[in-house]
C-alpha cells in the first residue's frame, strides 16, 4: 500500500502542474506537515550554528586550543547519532509528529543552557545533550513529509525541506552580526545561545496543526516490528543499512568540516572582521539555499544516485579551489563561496527521499534515523581532526580533508539501489 496522498480527480490535474506542483500535491495535511518540518529544520540549523559562529569568542573566553574547540562540534555530532537513532525508534512507535515535538524541545532547551555554561566542561556537556534533539529532528521531519508526498515529487519536496537548513543558517549569521556588533564578545556568545529558545514557539504550531500521513500511520499500527533495531540489521536490510551509513558518513564528514571551520578560517587566516565574515558567508549561504532547491529538482530528474555522485565530485573540487586561493585575492574567495555552498548543499537534497525509500514503513524512522545520524557521528571526527592538524597545517590546509569524505560517499553508492519513483510501502 502506498503512503502517498490519493491521486487528485481529473478536473484537478491542471492545479498540480507547474513549478509548485510538488507543494500543491501535498494536500492540506501535507502542507501543514511541510511547514512544521521546514520550521523545525530551520531552527535546528539556527541552534547548531550558534556554536561555529561564536567559536572564536568562546575559544578566547575559555582559553581553548583548536582541538578543544573542534571537540565541541564533534561531541554534538557524535551524541546526535544516539539522539537520531532513538528519535527514529520513537517515530516508528509513537508517531512522527510526537517524536518531532520531543526533538525540537530537546535541542532548544540545551542550546539555551549552553549560554549559562560557567566553564568549558559544562559547555561540552550541554552541547552534547543538545545533540540528542539535533540528531533526531531532521530524520523525523523528513519522514513525516516523505509519507505525505507523491513519488513523482518526493525529491523536490524533501529538497525544499532541506533548504530550511540554509534559511536557519542565514538567520543565525544575521543575529550573530548584530549581537557581536553591539555587545562585547564575552557576552555576545552567551546571547547567541539564549536566542536558541525560538524553537519552543514551533512546538505550539506542530501540536495544533500537524498530523501523520493516515496510510503510513495505519501501516505502522498493523506492523508487529515497529521501531526495531534488529530488523534494520536482518539479512534483508543489512546491506542497505551498512552502505547507507557509509554514504552518510562521507557526505556529512565533508559538510561539517566546512560548516565548522570556514568562519574561523575567514577570521584567522583571511583576516576578516565580523561584518566581513558575515558578508562572505552570505554568498556561501545563498549558494546553499539555491543548491538545496536545485538538487531536489535534479534528484527527481536524474535519480538519487546520480545527483549525489555529481555533487560529491563538485564539492570536493570546490573545497580544494576555495582553500587554495592565494592571499590577497579575497574577491575570488567571495565569488567561489557561492558555488561551494551550492554544491555542498545540493548533495543533501536527495537524502530525505532516498533514505525514506530504502526502508519499509514499519522501520523507516529507525532505518533513516540510524543511518543518517551514525554517519554524522563518524563523520564528525573530521572537524576535530582538522582542529588538531590546523596548528601545523593551518585551517585552510586542514580543510582539504573534507574532500576525502565525498570520495567515501561515491564509493558507498555502489552498494545501494536507485529508488527514484518508488512508492512508500
Amino acid at each position: 500500500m502506498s503512503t502517498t496522498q490519493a491521486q487528485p480527480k481529473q478536473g484537478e490535474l491542471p492545479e498540480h502542474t507547474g513549478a509548485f506542483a510538488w507543494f500543491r500535491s501535498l494536500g492540506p495535511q501535507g502542507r501543514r506537515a511541510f511547514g512544521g518540518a521546514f520550521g523545525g529544520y530551520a531552527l535546528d540549523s539556527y541552534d547548531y550554528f550558534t556554536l561555529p559562529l561564536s567559536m572564536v569568542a568562546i575559544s578566547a573566553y575559555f582559553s581553548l586550543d583548536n582541538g578543544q574547540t573542534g571537540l565541541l562540534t564533534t561531541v554534538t555530532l557524535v551524541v546526535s547519532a544516539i539522539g537520531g537513532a532513538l528519535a527514529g525508534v520513537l517515530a516508528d512507535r509513537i508517531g512522527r509528529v510526537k517524536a518531532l515535538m520531543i526533538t525540537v524541545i530537546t535541542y532548544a532547551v540545551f542550546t539555551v543552557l549552553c549560554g549559562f555554561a560557567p566553564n568549558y566542561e559544562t559547555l561540552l556537556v550541554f552541547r552534547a545533550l543538545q545533540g540528542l534533539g539535533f540528531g533526531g529532528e531532521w530524520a523525523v521531519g523528513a519522514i513525516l513529509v516523505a509519507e505525505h508526498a507523491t513519488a513523482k515529487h518526493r525529491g523536490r519536496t524533501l529538497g525544499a525541506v532541506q533548504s530550511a537548513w540554509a534559511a536557519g543558517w542565514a538567520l543565525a549569521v544575521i543575529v550573530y552580526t548584530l549581537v557581536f556588533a553591539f555587545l562585547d564578545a564575552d557576552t555576545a556568545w552567551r546571547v547567541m545561545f539564549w536566542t536558541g529558545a525560538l524553537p519552543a514557539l514551533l512546538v505550539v504550531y506542530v501540536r495544533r496543526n500537524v498530523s501523520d500521513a493516515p496510510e503510513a500511520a495505519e501501516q505502522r499500527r498493523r506492523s508487529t516490528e515497529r521501531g526495531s533495531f534488529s530488523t534494520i540489521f536482518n539479512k534483508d536490510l543489512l546491506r542497505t543499512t551498512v552502505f547507507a551509513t557509509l554514504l552518510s558518513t562521507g557526505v556529512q564528514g565533508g559538510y561539517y568540516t566546512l560548516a565548522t571551520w570556514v568562519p574561523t578560517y575567514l577570521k584567522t587566516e583571511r583576516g576578516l572582521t565580523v561584518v566581513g565574515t558575515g558578508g562572505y558567508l552570505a554568498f556561501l549561504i545563498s549558494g546553499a539555499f539555491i543548491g538545496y532547491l536545485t538538487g531536489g529538482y535534479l534528484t527527481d530528474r536524474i535519480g538519487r544516485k546520480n545527483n549525489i555522485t555529481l555533487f560529491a565530485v563538485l564539492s570536493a573540487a570546490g573545497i580544494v579551489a576555495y582553500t587554495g586561493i592565494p592571499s590577497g585575492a579575497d574577491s575570488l574567495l567571495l565569488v567561489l563561496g557561492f558555488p561551494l555552498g551550492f554544491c555542498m548543499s545540493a548533495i543533501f537534497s536527495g537524502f530525505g527521499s532516498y533514505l525514506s525509500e530504502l526502508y519499509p514503513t514499519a522501520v523507516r524512522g529507525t532505518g533513516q534515523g540510524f543511518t543518517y545520524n551514525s554517519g554524522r557521528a563518524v563523520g564528525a571526527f573530521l572537524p576535530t581532526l582538522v582542529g588538531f592538524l590546523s596548528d601545523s597545517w593551518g585551517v585552510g590546509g586542514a580543510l582539504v580533508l573534507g574532500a576525502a569524505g565525498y570520495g567515501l560517499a561515491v564509493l558507498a553508492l555502489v552498494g545501494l539501489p536507485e529508488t527514484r519513483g518508488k512508492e512508500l510501502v
Side-chain angles (χ1 to χ4, degrees):
M1 180 184 294
S2 168
T3 62
T4 59
Q5 295 287 311
Q7 289 296 311
K9 296 178 182 179
Q10 188 172 359
E12 297 176 331
L13 282 175
E15 177 185 6
H16 292 167
T17 60
F20 293 97
W22 62 268
F23 187 71
R24 291 192 295 271
S25 68
L26 286 169
Q29 287 187 6
R31 289 193 285 270
R32 289 193 292 269
F34 176 88
F38 187 96
Y41 199 44
L43 293 171
D44 195 16
S45 170
Y46 179 90
D47 280 12
Y48 172 79
F49 278 105
T50 54
L51 175 64
L53 291 169
S54 304
M55 191 175 284
V56 172
I58 292 171
S59 178
Y61 187 86
F62 292 122
S63 300
L64 308 178
D65 57 34
N66 282 344
Q68 289 174 305
T69 53
L71 185 59
L72 285 168
T73 294
T74 296
V75 74
T76 305
L77 301 180
V78 169
V79 176
S80 77
I82 300 173
L86 292 177
V89 171
L90 280 177
D92 287 336
R93 293 187 177 183
I94 68 175
R96 313 324 191 193
V97 172
K98 291 179 181 178
L100 180 64
M101 290 191 292
I102 290 171
T103 62
V104 172
I105 291 171
T106 300
Y107 73 68
V109 167
F110 286 107
T111 299
V112 172
L113 288 177
C114 284
F116 293 99
N119 51 51
Y120 171 72
E121 292 75 17
T122 304
L123 179 61
L124 194 64
V125 171
F126 285 153
R127 191 65 182 177
L129 294 173
Q130 188 252 16
L132 290 174
F134 169 72
E137 192 285 330
W138 179 84
V140 176
I143 294 166
L144 172 67
V145 176
E147 292 175 340
H148 279 283
T150 62
K152 179 181 179 180
H153 298 300
R154 191 174 297 118
R156 271 164 281 195
T157 304
L158 271 296
V161 172
Q162 288 275 178
S163 72
W165 183 264
W169 188 4
L171 179 61
V173 170
I174 292 170
V175 174
Y176 153 80
T177 303
L178 293 173
V179 168
F180 275 80
F182 291 102
L183 298 174
D184 65 274
D186 289 349
T187 303
W189 71 264
R190 294 187 182 275
V191 172
M192 282 294 295
F193 283 120
W194 292 336
T195 61
L198 287 172
L201 299 175
L202 178 71
V203 174
V204 178
Y205 169 84
V206 172
R207 180 179 176 83
R208 293 180 177 177
N209 298 285
V210 181
S211 59
D212 290 359
E215 292 183 17
E218 179 59 29
Q219 287 186 49
R220 286 199 313 276
R221 282 192 291 270
R222 291 200 306 265
S223 175
T224 59
E225 294 186 316
R226 288 184 295 158
S228 169
F229 282 120
S230 61
T231 302
I232 67 171
F233 286 100
N234 66 21
K235 62 179 181 179
D236 295 327
L237 292 174
L238 177 60
R239 179 186 178 92
T240 295
T241 299
V242 170
F243 281 98
T245 301
L246 290 175
L247 173 65
S248 296
T249 298
V251 172
Q252 295 190 91
Y255 178 83
Y256 282 106
T257 296
L258 287 173
T260 300
W261 286 106
V262 163
T264 298
Y265 170 69
L266 292 175
K267 285 183 181 179
T268 60
E269 296 196 13
R270 310 302 299 207
L272 301 183
T273 64
V274 168
V275 174
T277 298
Y280 277 70
L281 289 177
F283 273 76
L284 193 66
I285 295 167
S286 298
F289 183 77
I290 297 174
Y292 283 127
L293 297 179
T294 304
Y297 172 80
L298 286 176
T299 197
D300 280 336
R301 295 285 294 180
I302 67 176
R304 314 319 191 204
K305 294 176 67 172
N306 287 338
N307 183 73
I308 292 171
T309 300
L310 172 64
F311 288 109
V313 172
L314 293 177
S315 295
I319 293 174
V320 175
Y322 193 75
T323 56
I325 295 172
S327 178
D330 288 346
S331 59
L332 185 57
L333 192 74
L334 181 69
V335 172
L336 277 181
F338 186 91
L340 179 62
F342 181 94
C343 294
M344 69 188 234
S345 299
I347 193 172
F348 277 104
S349 295
F351 261 60
S353 53
Y354 194 31
L355 295 181
S356 293
E357 292 159 353
L358 289 173
Y359 289 94
T361 299
V363 291
R364 184 167 296 125
T366 305
Q368 184 155 330
F370 178 85
T371 56
Y372 188 82
N373 288 287
S374 294
R376 179 154 57 185
V378 177
F381 285 96
L382 264 181
T384 295
L385 183 59
V386 168
F388 283 110
L389 291 177
S390 66
D391 291 332
S392 55
W393 293 11
V395 176
L399 274 173
V400 177
L401 287 174
Y406 293 113
L408 174 62
V410 173
L411 291 176
L413 287 171
V414 175
L416 293 170
E418 177 57 58
T419 61
R420 180 177 54 158
K422 181 178 180 179
E423 297 288 348
L424 299 187
V425 295

